[in-house]
Amino acid sequence: MTFQYDSEQGLRFAQVPGDYFQLLQQIPVHADTSSFSPGAQRLQPSPITEPASDEDDEINGDWREHVLPDLIEEFTRQLDVVSADLKAAKRFEDRGGEEEYEFTIPNDHIERWYGALNQARLVMQERYHFPQIDTPEVVEALMNSEHFGPYLISRFYTEIQGVLLAVMTGSDD
Amino acid sequence: MPALPQTLDFPQTSTDTDESLDIPWLVTLFDDPVNLMSYVTMVIMRIFGYEKTKAEAMMKEVHTKGKCIVWTGERERAELYVQQLHSHQLKATMSRAG
């Protein structure tokens, strides 16, 4: 898989293996909180977690009524942008007959892609409670658990976020 | 719009409500295992307009101590800042100082 940033075109991904492409297509699936309330609570928290007065209740109530709908709309838009960009991907076959994909994330989609990947990782973290330290011992223990697959997916998403973040911050890291 | 009265009669009883208006609100940013440190720094800089060194110091405090008060002031701006932090998927709350 290769990626190249062009300040006019955006971030171009090429030679994306079919398996990796499928993982990217699954971003909205992993970010889905419709039947997972801890994920929804993480993405849509109240501003005051322990309301202790009528004013606190009022703030949280106003939040649910006026702020949350915009937040949910933006998060949905992030996922829609990812799906649309992947739908526009071109499919190739390499010399061995393996499928590969090529697609571009336009400049004005880059932050939404980052947000979509963040949603997926935040919800996966709530769902699987991955360890925060990834020493060889911890990873080895994970390898023997049913959470290893999701863990690898989350790590893959983190790598993509690193590329996006380098563009967002103008960093060469 | 109604005109202001010439004289104001302040109640002599409890002043709790008036005092509460003077209590500043704190915006607290919490650590989470997902958000990348450079992203957190970028968001702090973007939302609060802080210099990179200050934003990085706050990010490190979040990372090492689990949380950091990133702003203090009036309620409306605290609400706006928490909204912006949430829109960047950072874990943040607002609370009264003290």
Side-chain angles (χ1 to χ4, degrees):
Chain A
M1 183 165 74
T2 64
F3 32 80
Q4 189 172 19
Y5 180 64
D6 180 301
S7 60
E8 290 184 4
Q9 303 287 321
L11 188 59
R12 178 173 168 269
F13 285 73
Q15 297 174 307
V16 180
D19 291 347
Y20 286 9
F21 189 76
Q22 282 180 20
L23 293 182
L24 295 174
Q25 287 178 310
Q26 288 170 12
I27 292 170
V29 176
H30 290 298
D32 183 19
T33 61
S34 57
S35 58
F36 183 55
S37 59
Q41 283 167 18
R42 173 59 188 87
L43 290 179
Q44 302 149 22
S46 296
I48 298 177
T49 49
E50 293 174 6
S53 69
D54 289 346
E55 187 184 18
D56 291 351
D57 289 334
E58 178 197 319
I59 290 170
N60 279 346
D62 286 348
W63 187 273
R64 280 191 294 275
E65 190 175 349
H66 301 294
V67 176
L68 204 50
D70 288 345
L71 211 58
I72 291 170
E73 190 181 328
E74 171 55 23
F75 289 173
T76 302
R77 197 174 297 133
Q78 291 175 349
L79 300 174
D80 289 346
V81 156
V82 166
S83 297
D85 288 342
L86 293 176
K87 246 180 203 165
K90 291 176 185 164
R91 183 181 181 279
F92 300 94
E93 281 188 9
D94 68 11
R95 288 178 183 172
E98 298 289 326
E99 61 179 359
E100 285 183 349
Y101 292 84
E102 190 177 303
F103 64 95
T104 298
I105 304 176
N107 282 316
D108 59 350
H109 289 185
I110 285 175
E111 292 212 17
R112 289 207 163 111
W113 263 80
Y114 189 96
L117 287 160
N118 229 24
Q119 287 186 59
R121 290 183 56 234
L122 286 163
V123 174
M124 291 172 87
Q125 181 64 37
E126 289 296 322
R127 196 184 291 278
Y128 301 111
H129 304 286
F130 302 128
Q132 294 185 36
I133 303 168
D134 52 0
T135 60
E137 294 78 16
V138 171
V139 173
E140 194 177 331
L142 252 178
M143 285 173 70
N144 298 316
S145 88
E146 58 186 336
H147 295 170
F148 191 55
Y151 171 77
L152 290 179
I153 295 170
S154 182
R155 289 302 302 260
F156 174 64
Y157 289 169
T158 308
E159 294 298 321
I160 303 295
Q161 281 190 304
V163 175
L164 297 168
L165 194 55
V167 174
M168 288 158 60
T169 59
S171 160
D172 293 329
D173 296 344
Chain B
M1 183 183 291
L4 286 171
Q6 295 299 309
T7 57
L8 295 172
D9 295 325
F10 291 100
Q12 298 298 309
T13 54
S14 170
T15 56
D16 286 353
T17 306
D18 292 331
E19 284 173 2
S20 71
L21 292 174
D22 297 331
I23 299 173
W25 287 77
L26 313 176
V27 174
T28 306
L29 185 60
F30 292 86
D31 189 31
D32 71 65
V34 168
N35 277 298
L36 304 178
M37 290 193 281
S38 50
Y39 177 70
V40 175
T41 302
M42 183 198 79
V43 172
I44 293 173
M45 289 171 67
R46 184 181 287 182
I47 291 176
F48 299 100
Y50 297 153
E51 297 284 334
K52 189 172 185 181
T53 48
K54 182 175 181 177
E56 275 180 340
M58 288 179 156
M59 177 275 293
K60 282 176 184 166
E61 189 174 331
V62 169
H63 186 62
T64 55
K65 296 183 178 174
K67 62 182 179 179
C68 174
I69 295 167
V70 289
W71 188 82
T72 305
E74 63 181 13
R75 173 184 148 177
E76 285 74 16
R77 286 188 72 186
E79 285 181 283
L80 176 66
Y81 287 144
V82 173
Q83 177 185 348
Q84 290 175 326
L85 290 165
H86 285 188
S87 74
H88 287 85
Q89 293 144 356
L90 300 189
K91 208 172 184 176
T93 61
M94 57 187 282
S95 57
R96 282 180 203 80

